[in-house]
Amino acid sequence: MPIIKDGAIIVDSWTMLDEEADVPSSADIIIPLNVMLEKADRLSNHSGRIGLLIGNDVAVEDHADLIAKADIVVLELPAFTDGRAYSQARGLREDLGFEKELRVKGDVLVDQAAYLLRCGFDSFDFDGEFDAETWKKSSGIMTTGYQRTYKDELETRG
Amino acid sequence: MYVYDDFDEKFVRERAAQFRDQVERRLSGKLSEAHFRPLRLMNGVYLQLHAYMLRVAVPYGTLSSPQLRQLAMIATKYDKGYGHFTTRQNIQFNWPKLKDLPDILDDLADVGMHAIQTSGNCIRNVTSDQWAGVAADEVTDPRPYAELMRQWSSLHPEFSYLPRKFKIAITGAESDRAAIAFHDIGIQVLKNDAGEIGFAVYVGGGLGRTPMVGKKIRDFISLDDLLPYLVAILRAYNLEGRRDNKYKARIKILVHETGIDGFKAKVEKIFDGLEKDKLRAPAGEIERIQGFFDLPNYETVEPNPETLTKARSENAAFDSWVKRNVATHKQAGYAIANISLKPIAGIPGDATDEQMNLVADLAEKYSFGEIRVTHEQNLVLAHVKEKELFELWQALVPAGLATANIGAITDMITCPGLDYCALATARSIPIAQKISEKFADQKRQEDIGDLKVKISGCINACGHHHAGHIGILGLDKKGEEYYQITLGGSGDENAAVGEILGPGFSGDDVAGAIDTLVNRYVELRNETTETFLEVVKRVGLEPFKEALYANN
Ligand code: HEM
Ligand code: SF4
């Protein structure tokens, strides 16, 4: 599954671990929030970077401290019609002031890329195939927007 | 009325281009129907029984003459010569082709219109009082705030994939002509003791299969905080609204399940944590928008002129029309003229291209070039000089637009039903036509007085049957259409959901059943001024049940 950033496939050092996986003592890892909650002590001397995978049913403001320490946060898009991650992202960016990388993982449609970027995501972990040309053309058609958001590259009024 | 500036224009042009790109990818097979579906819905494109349907937004129901002419042009060029005005103040075209849709959107953009969010699980067209700005009973014109919300909600990056559709209505008057209690969010504009504008906010109303009356979540939110407060409500809903069951996904269910106090606590917590500055309207924006809603330049004219009284006394049909269709204006010497789209035995809410062109011309001649669409599927010319009412009426008569029945029993709200709709369980239009024929007699209609009959072709309640004084719901029993009748619903400031009377009726018998109910009402009322709802309240359902079912 490709990781997309700035409209292109990138390779990065993150390894995504699921709940059952053993947590290595080094390497850049992304772990589910509840693993972090359980193993926070042991992870305090982890030598690599640590990111958090946060489920859609988590109220991000309840975990502000952990999130502030994370090097990346990954939110989920279980179906492209499920918009919870958009609200979580805005909460993270605008209300909690999270500044590190924010990634969305799942059923991303090119037609949603612009909305996701405006809500504060930087990168996409894609379920489907990535077609760079369509992505470039289709995701950039709207250059205007009425709302002012965290990372808004669109033209707004006023 | 509001006129697009360069920014709005660029925005809708880009949106039209974006949809053109999506249609091209669909037609070339790059986009699957499953992926295309929510995208087309967000642009008002439904797949119906026979064809695609396009729903065009008429924000808060206000149109200019050039806009209405463009809608007529679209009806001529891409449809079968007519359009259908809806209960959400929009217009639908029933026969466009998918390949033509991008061109239609460009044509709409030419006159500052679009189809953005007229469908789909997003914030829908914001609706308002059709008499906004001219009603004698209003605190202030709600349309500047409606326009602010239209802009704020358009292609909202956070709220375009909600659990379900989301409808907002706003009124500035005591009498609620916008049915705010039956919306996901209902807003009433208020002025506090210091003369500042603010808003009472209601949440969790709706019709559909689980009708609910909205509950108050805030007594008074300031103008500055309106948009941040809406963000808080929508965020609470977006995060916690049910996504497991489409029929339980509306905010009304969340509010019901958490209770209004629990829900309010969630909203207030989110609201307190919001970085509000960016969420507010940009500085000066409200004032900029308000500038478009200044009252037109009324002339000083004599109220109730002799020409009017004379024409009324000489022409009974005109007199009936004035009585039923003309309402009081706040400016002396002017009147609000309602144009009924409910001709006897016609299709409720339909207008032909010729009728649209005529109304556009008449609006320019008599009403500052502005037209309103009502949620009861009629049109309004909001600023007509009383002395010109007779001329206006004479122009409406030959076009079949002078039916004198606003608010009367033949002014029914009717959904498209099985004639068009893929979800329907029964037809609605033919039922409306039969009832209309039964009550065609003008004298009888006038004697009956105000009576709201509303018809839906399935449980989704697009025809607002729950809110009808008499509601009719079309269902299906083993392949046979039958109709359930409810009594006592109301969509105004005394909002109530109607109660089912008893076993349903076949399509042939509905009009007769309504006749029986109305006759019973006329017998029961104490004076001709006692309304249908007052009688139902006073005597209950029993006498009506008895009248309907005694012989079976
Ligand atoms: C012809 C195609 C149509 C389809 C497929 C359709 C579909 C639906 C569905 C599924 C609902 C229920 C949604 C829910 O409760 O979650 C609904 C509600 C509604 N529709 Fe339609 N509809 C159509 C046409 C119309 C028309 C023509 C009007 C206006 C005359 C309209 C106005 C409404 C309103 C006002 C509601 C209900 C109120 C509420 O939001 O709770 N619809 N529609
Ligand atoms: S009420 Fe039912 S039949 Fe009527 S338009 Fe809505 S979905 Fe279709």
Side-chain angles (χ1 to χ4, degrees), chain A residues 80-84 86-87 90 94-95 110-112 119 137-138 143-149 155 157, chain B residues 5 7-8 10 14 21-22 25 35 151-152 154 157-158 161 235 238 243 275 278-280 285 288:
Chain A
F80 78 99
T81 49
D82 187 335
R84 288 174 291 179
Y86 296 77
S87 281
R90 280 194 91 187
E94 293 172 42
D95 305 331
V110 55
D111 300 272
Q112 299 174 308
C119 285
K137 177 161 175 260
S138 303
T143 69
T144 47
Y146 285 107
Q147 309 79 10
R148 292 177 294 168
T149 58
E155 179 189 341
R157 198 202 299 283
Chain B
D5 67 1
F7 182 84
D8 298 303
K10 190 168 172 195
E14 287 179 349
D21 173 65
Q22 289 166 349
R25 278 185 286 137
H35 275 152
Q151 297 186 15
W152 161 78
S154 293
E158 182 178 352
Y161 294 91
R235 188 170 294 173
N238 193 32
R243 291 173 188 269
E275 231 358 280
K278 271 192 159 186
L279 305 176
R280 296 194 162 107
E285 182 57 12
R288 187 187 72 84

Tab-separated table of all heavy atoms in Angstrom, chain A residues 80-84 86-87 90 94-95 110-112 119 137-138 143-149 155 157, chain B residues 5 7-8 10 14 21-22 25 35 151-152 154 157-158 161 235 238 243 275 278-280 285 288:
chain	number	residue	atom	x	y	z
A	80	PHE	N	-14.740	5.197	2.649
A	80	PHE	CA	-14.516	6.584	2.246
A	80	PHE	C	-15.683	7.485	2.618
A	80	PHE	O	-15.567	8.693	2.640
A	80	PHE	CB	-14.170	6.685	0.756
A	80	PHE	CG	-15.344	6.567	-0.160
A	80	PHE	CD1	-15.939	7.694	-0.697
A	80	PHE	CD2	-15.862	5.336	-0.484
A	80	PHE	CE1	-17.026	7.597	-1.544
A	80	PHE	CE2	-16.951	5.224	-1.322
A	80	PHE	CZ	-17.540	6.354	-1.852
A	81	THR	N	-16.820	6.868	2.946
A	81	THR	CA	-17.987	7.651	3.349
A	81	THR	C	-18.003	7.940	4.851
A	81	THR	O	-18.910	8.605	5.344
A	81	THR	CB	-19.268	6.884	2.999
A	81	THR	OG1	-19.121	5.543	3.480
A	81	THR	CG2	-19.510	6.864	1.518
A	82	ASP	N	-17.048	7.416	5.577
A	82	ASP	CA	-17.028	7.581	7.032
A	82	ASP	C	-16.165	8.784	7.401
A	82	ASP	O	-14.947	8.739	7.311
A	82	ASP	CB	-16.483	6.299	7.670
A	82	ASP	CG	-16.588	6.320	9.188
A	82	ASP	OD1	-16.622	7.425	9.779
A	82	ASP	OD2	-16.629	5.230	9.785
A	83	GLY	N	-16.818	9.866	7.808
A	83	GLY	CA	-16.101	11.138	7.935
A	83	GLY	C	-15.555	11.467	9.312
A	83	GLY	O	-15.167	12.603	9.560
A	84	ARG	N	-15.475	10.495	10.217
A	84	ARG	CA	-15.058	10.840	11.579
A	84	ARG	C	-13.629	11.374	11.645
A	84	ARG	O	-13.331	12.294	12.417
A	84	ARG	CB	-15.214	9.631	12.506
A	84	ARG	CG	-16.663	9.315	12.807
A	84	ARG	CD	-16.830	8.042	13.593
A	84	ARG	NE	-16.493	6.859	12.798
A	84	ARG	CZ	-16.537	5.610	13.260
A	84	ARG	NH1	-16.873	5.389	14.513
A	84	ARG	NH2	-16.246	4.602	12.468
A	86	TYR	N	-12.071	13.233	9.753
A	86	TYR	CA	-11.963	14.649	9.395
A	86	TYR	C	-12.124	15.514	10.646
A	86	TYR	O	-11.409	16.491	10.835
A	86	TYR	CB	-13.051	15.032	8.393
A	86	TYR	CG	-12.965	14.343	7.045
A	86	TYR	CD1	-13.365	13.026	6.873
A	86	TYR	CD2	-12.517	15.045	5.929
A	86	TYR	CE1	-13.311	12.410	5.631
A	86	TYR	CE2	-12.466	14.444	4.682
A	86	TYR	CZ	-12.864	13.121	4.539
A	86	TYR	OH	-12.810	12.524	3.319
A	87	SER	N	-13.096	15.130	11.483
A	87	SER	CA	-13.317	15.904	12.706
A	87	SER	C	-12.188	15.677	13.701
A	87	SER	O	-11.735	16.611	14.379
A	87	SER	CB	-14.652	15.514	13.349
A	87	SER	OG	-15.722	16.146	12.682
A	90	ARG	N	-9.223	17.826	12.619
A	90	ARG	CA	-9.329	19.258	12.939
A	90	ARG	C	-9.161	19.491	14.436
A	90	ARG	O	-8.556	20.468	14.853
A	90	ARG	CB	-10.662	19.820	12.460
A	90	ARG	CG	-10.642	20.120	10.991
A	90	ARG	CD	-11.818	20.975	10.593
A	90	ARG	NE	-11.528	22.398	10.668
A	90	ARG	CZ	-12.452	23.343	10.486
A	90	ARG	NH1	-13.708	22.998	10.267
A	90	ARG	NH2	-12.113	24.617	10.549
A	94	GLU	N	-6.273	22.030	15.193
A	94	GLU	CA	-6.674	23.391	15.538
A	94	GLU	C	-6.878	23.580	17.031
A	94	GLU	O	-6.620	24.649	17.558
A	94	GLU	CB	-7.942	23.767	14.766
A	94	GLU	CG	-7.666	23.856	13.274
A	94	GLU	CD	-8.916	24.029	12.436
A	94	GLU	OE1	-9.797	24.807	12.824
A	94	GLU	OE2	-9.014	23.364	11.388
A	95	ASP	N	-7.351	22.520	17.702
A	95	ASP	CA	-7.664	22.700	19.127
A	95	ASP	C	-6.543	22.192	20.024
A	95	ASP	O	-6.238	22.780	21.047
A	95	ASP	CB	-8.987	22.025	19.472
A	95	ASP	CG	-10.115	22.519	18.573
A	95	ASP	OD1	-10.025	23.682	18.124
A	95	ASP	OD2	-11.054	21.753	18.295
A	110	VAL	N	-9.478	9.922	-4.446
A	110	VAL	CA	-8.791	11.123	-4.909
A	110	VAL	C	-9.658	12.365	-4.715
A	110	VAL	O	-9.181	13.450	-4.401
A	110	VAL	CB	-8.335	10.962	-6.371
A	110	VAL	CG1	-9.494	10.586	-7.273
A	110	VAL	CG2	-7.704	12.240	-6.889
A	111	ASP	N	-10.977	12.168	-4.859
A	111	ASP	CA	-11.891	13.302	-4.735
A	111	ASP	C	-11.979	13.857	-3.310
A	111	ASP	O	-12.582	14.891	-3.083
A	111	ASP	CB	-13.271	12.881	-5.232
A	111	ASP	CG	-13.203	12.439	-6.676
A	111	ASP	OD1	-13.329	13.283	-7.554
A	111	ASP	OD2	-12.949	11.235	-6.926
A	112	GLN	N	-11.389	13.135	-2.384
A	112	GLN	CA	-11.414	13.612	-1.007
A	112	GLN	C	-10.096	14.227	-0.581
A	112	GLN	O	-9.999	14.790	0.503
A	112	GLN	CB	-11.680	12.437	-0.063
A	112	GLN	CG	-13.002	11.783	-0.323
A	112	GLN	CD	-13.158	10.554	0.521
A	112	GLN	OE1	-12.297	9.687	0.522
A	112	GLN	NE2	-14.249	10.490	1.242
A	119	CYS	N	-8.231	19.558	6.249
A	119	CYS	CA	-8.482	19.228	7.661
A	119	CYS	C	-7.172	19.007	8.420
A	119	CYS	O	-7.190	18.799	9.625
A	119	CYS	CB	-9.379	18.000	7.769
A	119	CYS	SG	-11.092	18.379	7.376
A	137	LYS	N	-4.541	15.952	-11.389
A	137	LYS	CA	-5.572	16.727	-12.084
A	137	LYS	C	-6.789	16.941	-11.177
A	137	LYS	O	-7.257	18.057	-10.992
A	137	LYS	CB	-5.975	15.966	-13.354
A	137	LYS	CG	-7.081	16.633	-14.124
A	137	LYS	CD	-7.144	16.130	-15.574
A	137	LYS	CE	-8.344	16.729	-16.302
A	137	LYS	NZ	-9.485	15.853	-16.408
A	138	SER	N	-7.275	15.853	-10.599
A	138	SER	CA	-8.569	15.931	-9.927
A	138	SER	C	-8.501	16.570	-8.546
A	138	SER	O	-9.443	17.224	-8.121
A	138	SER	CB	-9.182	14.532	-9.812
A	138	SER	OG	-9.298	13.980	-11.095
A	143	THR	N	-9.504	25.664	-6.144
A	143	THR	CA	-8.452	26.503	-5.562
A	143	THR	C	-9.041	27.505	-4.569
A	143	THR	O	-8.334	28.321	-4.009
A	143	THR	CB	-7.692	27.289	-6.650
A	143	THR	OG1	-8.587	28.267	-7.202
A	143	THR	CG2	-7.182	26.376	-7.760
A	144	THR	N	-10.376	27.462	-4.425
A	144	THR	CA	-11.052	28.387	-3.509
A	144	THR	C	-11.818	27.601	-2.460
A	144	THR	O	-12.223	26.467	-2.704
A	144	THR	CB	-12.076	29.243	-4.274
A	144	THR	OG1	-12.849	28.368	-5.100
A	144	THR	CG2	-11.422	30.297	-5.121
A	145	GLY	N	-12.029	28.208	-1.308
A	145	GLY	CA	-12.826	27.566	-0.265
A	145	GLY	C	-13.364	28.621	0.682
A	145	GLY	O	-12.762	29.679	0.847
A	146	TYR	N	-14.523	28.334	1.276
A	146	TYR	CA	-15.131	29.330	2.156
A	146	TYR	C	-14.657	29.224	3.606
A	146	TYR	O	-14.885	30.123	4.385
A	146	TYR	CB	-16.655	29.201	2.133
A	146	TYR	CG	-17.276	29.748	0.874
A	146	TYR	CD1	-17.793	28.901	-0.104
A	146	TYR	CD2	-17.339	31.123	0.655
A	146	TYR	CE1	-18.377	29.408	-1.257
A	146	TYR	CE2	-17.908	31.640	-0.498
A	146	TYR	CZ	-18.429	30.776	-1.446
A	146	TYR	OH	-18.994	31.282	-2.581
A	147	GLN	N	-14.035	28.085	3.954
A	147	GLN	CA	-13.678	27.905	5.365
A	147	GLN	C	-12.176	28.098	5.545
A	147	GLN	O	-11.384	27.751	4.686
A	147	GLN	CB	-14.071	26.491	5.839
A	147	GLN	CG	-15.494	26.091	5.526
A	147	GLN	CD	-15.676	25.661	4.076
A	147	GLN	OE1	-14.711	25.474	3.331
A	147	GLN	NE2	-16.923	25.507	3.658
A	148	ARG	N	-11.840	28.650	6.686
A	148	ARG	CA	-10.415	28.799	6.992
A	148	ARG	C	-10.020	27.656	7.913
A	148	ARG	O	-10.639	27.448	8.951
A	148	ARG	CB	-10.169	30.150	7.653
A	148	ARG	CG	-10.406	31.296	6.657
A	148	ARG	CD	-10.245	32.649	7.285
A	148	ARG	NE	-11.282	32.876	8.284
A	148	ARG	CZ	-11.244	33.886	9.152
A	148	ARG	NH1	-10.224	34.714	9.146
A	148	ARG	NH2	-12.217	34.048	10.018
A	149	THR	N	-9.022	26.898	7.517
A	149	THR	CA	-8.626	25.739	8.312
A	149	THR	C	-7.132	25.780	8.596
A	149	THR	O	-6.431	26.700	8.170
A	149	THR	CB	-8.969	24.419	7.583
A	149	THR	OG1	-8.310	24.424	6.323
A	149	THR	CG2	-10.465	24.278	7.380
A	155	GLU	N	-7.468	29.680	-1.654
A	155	GLU	CA	-7.847	31.092	-1.547
A	155	GLU	C	-9.146	31.172	-0.752
A	155	GLU	O	-10.095	30.443	-1.038
A	155	GLU	CB	-8.061	31.619	-2.971
A	155	GLU	CG	-8.473	33.064	-3.047
A	155	GLU	CD	-8.889	33.456	-4.474
A	155	GLU	OE1	-8.536	32.743	-5.446
A	155	GLU	OE2	-9.567	34.472	-4.602
A	157	ARG	N	-12.020	33.972	1.335
A	157	ARG	CA	-12.455	35.362	1.255
A	157	ARG	C	-11.929	36.135	2.452
A	157	ARG	O	-11.909	35.617	3.555
A	157	ARG	CB	-13.969	35.440	1.220
A	157	ARG	CG	-14.468	36.774	0.697
A	157	ARG	CD	-15.858	37.083	1.129
A	157	ARG	NE	-16.852	36.124	0.671
A	157	ARG	CZ	-17.339	36.089	-0.569
A	157	ARG	NH1	-16.925	36.939	-1.464
A	157	ARG	NH2	-18.239	35.202	-0.890
B	5	ASP	N	-19.872	37.742	-5.918
B	5	ASP	CA	-18.701	38.522	-6.293
B	5	ASP	C	-17.727	37.601	-7.033
B	5	ASP	O	-18.047	36.441	-7.316
B	5	ASP	CB	-18.061	39.202	-5.067
B	5	ASP	CG	-17.464	38.188	-4.092
B	5	ASP	OD1	-17.523	36.969	-4.369
B	5	ASP	OD2	-16.931	38.619	-3.061
B	7	PHE	N	-15.163	36.088	-6.116
B	7	PHE	CA	-14.787	34.897	-5.363
B	7	PHE	C	-15.855	33.800	-5.479
B	7	PHE	O	-15.550	32.647	-5.802
B	7	PHE	CB	-14.555	35.268	-3.889
B	7	PHE	CG	-14.118	34.106	-3.056
B	7	PHE	CD1	-12.785	33.736	-3.010
B	7	PHE	CD2	-15.045	33.368	-2.336
B	7	PHE	CE1	-12.379	32.648	-2.259
B	7	PHE	CE2	-14.652	32.279	-1.584
B	7	PHE	CZ	-13.306	31.915	-1.546
B	8	ASP	N	-17.115	34.179	-5.245
B	8	ASP	CA	-18.202	33.187	-5.354
B	8	ASP	C	-18.241	32.593	-6.762
B	8	ASP	O	-18.445	31.404	-6.954
B	8	ASP	CB	-19.566	33.841	-5.089
B	8	ASP	CG	-19.688	34.431	-3.692
B	8	ASP	OD1	-19.503	33.694	-2.720
B	8	ASP	OD2	-19.967	35.636	-3.593
B	10	LYS	N	-15.818	32.330	-8.967
B	10	LYS	CA	-14.703	31.413	-9.198
B	10	LYS	C	-14.989	30.071	-8.525
B	10	LYS	O	-14.743	29.003	-9.087
B	10	LYS	CB	-13.431	32.050	-8.622
B	10	LYS	CG	-12.156	31.331	-8.982
B	10	LYS	CD	-10.951	32.195	-8.616
B	10	LYS	CE	-9.658	31.428	-8.771
B	10	LYS	NZ	-8.536	32.111	-8.106
B	14	GLU	N	-15.267	26.527	-10.486
B	14	GLU	CA	-14.358	25.418	-10.172
B	14	GLU	C	-15.137	24.171	-9.785
B	14	GLU	O	-14.792	23.061	-10.150
B	14	GLU	CB	-13.416	25.817	-9.029
B	14	GLU	CG	-12.362	26.810	-9.455
B	14	GLU	CD	-11.431	27.224	-8.313
B	14	GLU	OE1	-11.727	26.897	-7.143
B	14	GLU	OE2	-10.427	27.870	-8.596
B	21	ASP	N	-15.137	16.763	-14.344
B	21	ASP	CA	-14.051	15.793	-14.252
B	21	ASP	C	-14.562	14.468	-13.667
B	21	ASP	O	-14.221	13.389	-14.154
B	21	ASP	CB	-12.930	16.392	-13.385
B	21	ASP	CG	-11.821	15.405	-13.071
B	21	ASP	OD1	-11.141	14.993	-14.035
B	21	ASP	OD2	-11.647	15.048	-11.890
B	22	GLN	N	-15.414	14.566	-12.655
B	22	GLN	CA	-15.934	13.336	-12.044
B	22	GLN	C	-16.830	12.571	-13.021
B	22	GLN	O	-16.750	11.343	-13.125
B	22	GLN	CB	-16.698	13.679	-10.757
B	22	GLN	CG	-15.748	14.127	-9.638
B	22	GLN	CD	-16.447	14.798	-8.456
B	22	GLN	OE1	-17.634	15.131	-8.510
B	22	GLN	NE2	-15.705	15.007	-7.379
B	25	ARG	N	-14.662	10.835	-15.564
B	25	ARG	CA	-14.046	9.614	-15.030
B	25	ARG	C	-15.071	8.501	-14.878
B	25	ARG	O	-14.781	7.335	-15.072
B	25	ARG	CB	-13.359	9.908	-13.691
B	25	ARG	CG	-11.967	10.507	-13.880
B	25	ARG	CD	-11.244	10.680	-12.574
B	25	ARG	NE	-11.781	11.794	-11.823
B	25	ARG	CZ	-12.027	11.772	-10.524
B	25	ARG	NH1	-11.798	10.686	-9.812
B	25	ARG	NH2	-12.511	12.833	-9.915
B	35	HIS	N	-18.243	4.462	-6.089
B	35	HIS	CA	-17.502	5.653	-5.691
B	35	HIS	C	-18.121	6.938	-6.219
B	35	HIS	O	-18.038	7.995	-5.596
B	35	HIS	CB	-16.035	5.559	-6.163
B	35	HIS	CG	-15.166	4.800	-5.195
B	35	HIS	ND1	-14.053	4.117	-5.582
B	35	HIS	CD2	-15.268	4.624	-3.863
B	35	HIS	CE1	-13.491	3.540	-4.517
B	35	HIS	NE2	-14.221	3.842	-3.465
B	151	GLN	N	-22.563	29.854	2.527
B	151	GLN	CA	-21.153	29.917	2.169
B	151	GLN	C	-20.332	29.005	3.082
B	151	GLN	O	-19.519	28.210	2.622
B	151	GLN	CB	-20.652	31.357	2.268
B	151	GLN	CG	-21.361	32.262	1.283
B	151	GLN	CD	-20.791	33.669	1.254
B	151	GLN	OE1	-19.703	33.910	1.756
B	151	GLN	NE2	-21.521	34.594	0.659
B	152	TRP	N	-20.594	29.121	4.361
B	152	TRP	CA	-19.824	28.337	5.334
B	152	TRP	C	-19.963	26.834	5.093
B	152	TRP	O	-19.015	26.069	5.248
B	152	TRP	CB	-20.291	28.697	6.760
B	152	TRP	CG	-19.925	27.690	7.774
B	152	TRP	CD1	-18.708	27.513	8.359
B	152	TRP	CD2	-20.779	26.680	8.327
B	152	TRP	NE1	-18.753	26.464	9.236
B	152	TRP	CE2	-20.005	25.939	9.237
B	152	TRP	CE3	-22.125	26.334	8.137
B	152	TRP	CZ2	-20.543	24.858	9.955
B	152	TRP	CZ3	-22.648	25.274	8.844
B	152	TRP	CH2	-21.852	24.557	9.745
B	154	SER	N	-20.666	25.288	2.233
B	154	SER	CA	-20.373	24.815	0.873
B	154	SER	C	-19.025	24.106	0.810
B	154	SER	O	-17.998	24.684	1.146
B	154	SER	CB	-20.375	25.983	-0.115
B	154	SER	OG	-21.674	26.505	-0.233
B	157	PRO	N	-14.853	21.174	4.409
B	157	PRO	CA	-13.868	20.092	4.423
B	157	PRO	C	-14.127	19.068	5.533
B	157	PRO	O	-13.794	17.894	5.367
B	157	PRO	CB	-12.536	20.815	4.642
B	157	PRO	CG	-12.882	22.149	5.189
B	157	PRO	CD	-14.248	22.488	4.674
B	158	GLU	N	-14.714	19.506	6.626
B	158	GLU	CA	-14.918	18.573	7.745
B	158	GLU	C	-16.265	17.847	7.661
B	158	GLU	O	-16.383	16.713	8.115
B	158	GLU	CB	-14.816	19.344	9.079
B	158	GLU	CG	-14.971	18.472	10.307
B	158	GLU	CD	-14.825	19.252	11.614
B	158	GLU	OE1	-14.459	20.441	11.578
B	158	GLU	OE2	-15.095	18.659	12.674
B	161	TYR	N	-18.809	14.253	4.829
B	161	TYR	CA	-19.081	12.809	4.943
B	161	TYR	C	-19.701	12.517	6.301
B	161	TYR	O	-19.169	11.766	7.110
B	161	TYR	CB	-17.802	12.006	4.682
B	161	TYR	CG	-17.345	12.161	3.249
B	161	TYR	CD1	-16.454	13.159	2.887
B	161	TYR	CD2	-17.872	11.348	2.249
B	161	TYR	CE1	-16.083	13.352	1.558
B	161	TYR	CE2	-17.508	11.524	0.928
B	161	TYR	CZ	-16.608	12.522	0.592
B	161	TYR	OH	-16.256	12.693	-0.728
B	235	ARG	N	-19.722	18.697	14.765
B	235	ARG	CA	-18.608	17.821	15.120
B	235	ARG	C	-19.083	16.722	16.072
B	235	ARG	O	-18.729	15.548	15.903
B	235	ARG	CB	-17.451	18.615	15.737
B	235	ARG	CG	-16.214	17.743	15.925
B	235	ARG	CD	-14.985	18.534	16.293
B	235	ARG	NE	-14.559	19.417	15.208
B	235	ARG	CZ	-13.587	20.309	15.323
B	235	ARG	NH1	-12.936	20.448	16.469
B	235	ARG	NH2	-13.250	21.066	14.300
B	238	ASN	N	-20.914	14.374	13.819
B	238	ASN	CA	-20.037	13.662	12.888
B	238	ASN	C	-19.263	12.556	13.611
B	238	ASN	O	-19.059	11.468	13.076
B	238	ASN	CB	-19.058	14.648	12.241
B	238	ASN	CG	-18.327	14.064	11.048
B	238	ASN	OD1	-18.873	13.225	10.330
B	238	ASN	ND2	-17.089	14.491	10.840
B	243	ARG	N	-23.479	5.228	12.497
B	243	ARG	CA	-23.143	4.895	11.123
B	243	ARG	C	-23.431	3.429	10.833
B	243	ARG	O	-23.173	2.946	9.738
B	243	ARG	CB	-21.659	5.206	10.845
B	243	ARG	CG	-21.365	6.702	10.828
B	243	ARG	CD	-19.890	6.992	10.727
B	243	ARG	NE	-19.619	8.425	10.894
B	243	ARG	CZ	-19.573	9.308	9.888
B	243	ARG	NH1	-19.733	8.911	8.650
B	243	ARG	NH2	-19.340	10.574	10.131
B	275	GLU	N	-10.809	26.498	18.945
B	275	GLU	CA	-10.067	27.712	18.601
B	275	GLU	C	-11.023	28.507	17.708
B	275	GLU	O	-11.133	28.233	16.510
B	275	GLU	CB	-8.851	27.267	17.799
B	275	GLU	CG	-7.482	27.742	18.191
B	275	GLU	CD	-7.371	28.688	19.356
B	275	GLU	OE1	-7.617	29.891	19.155
B	275	GLU	OE2	-7.008	28.231	20.463
B	278	LYS	N	-10.704	31.345	13.828
B	278	LYS	CA	-10.726	30.970	12.416
B	278	LYS	C	-12.100	30.507	11.959
B	278	LYS	O	-12.368	30.419	10.772
B	278	LYS	CB	-9.751	29.814	12.194
B	278	LYS	CG	-8.359	30.252	11.883
B	278	LYS	CD	-7.596	29.051	11.391
B	278	LYS	CE	-6.403	29.497	10.605
B	278	LYS	NZ	-5.699	28.396	9.988
B	279	LEU	N	-12.922	30.104	12.927
B	279	LEU	CA	-14.217	29.545	12.557
B	279	LEU	C	-15.277	30.618	12.369
B	279	LEU	O	-16.340	30.369	11.835
B	279	LEU	CB	-14.687	28.549	13.627
B	279	LEU	CG	-13.705	27.423	13.932
B	279	LEU	CD1	-14.238	26.555	15.064
B	279	LEU	CD2	-13.474	26.558	12.697
B	280	ARG	N	-14.975	31.824	12.845
B	280	ARG	CA	-15.945	32.905	12.716
B	280	ARG	C	-15.969	33.420	11.283
B	280	ARG	O	-15.022	33.214	10.524
B	280	ARG	CB	-15.576	34.057	13.649
B	280	ARG	CG	-15.639	33.654	15.093
B	280	ARG	CD	-15.617	34.871	16.020
B	280	ARG	NE	-16.112	34.448	17.312
B	280	ARG	CZ	-15.344	34.287	18.402
B	280	ARG	NH1	-14.068	34.583	18.361
B	280	ARG	NH2	-15.875	33.849	19.519
B	285	GLU	N	-17.668	40.522	6.907
B	285	GLU	CA	-18.405	39.683	5.970
B	285	GLU	C	-19.923	39.802	6.154
B	285	GLU	O	-20.674	39.902	5.180
B	285	GLU	CB	-17.940	38.228	6.111
B	285	GLU	CG	-18.577	37.231	5.161
B	285	GLU	CD	-18.413	37.569	3.681
B	285	GLU	OE1	-17.607	38.465	3.346
B	285	GLU	OE2	-19.126	36.961	2.863
B	288	ARG	N	-21.043	42.953	4.711
B	288	ARG	CA	-21.008	42.888	3.251
B	288	ARG	C	-22.254	42.178	2.727
B	288	ARG	O	-22.923	42.646	1.806
B	288	ARG	CB	-19.753	42.130	2.792
B	288	ARG	CG	-19.517	42.154	1.282
B	288	ARG	CD	-18.369	41.244	0.866
B	288	ARG	NE	-18.712	39.830	0.958
B	288	ARG	CZ	-19.349	39.152	0.001
B	288	ARG	NH1	-19.687	39.738	-1.129
B	288	ARG	NH2	-19.655	37.877	0.166
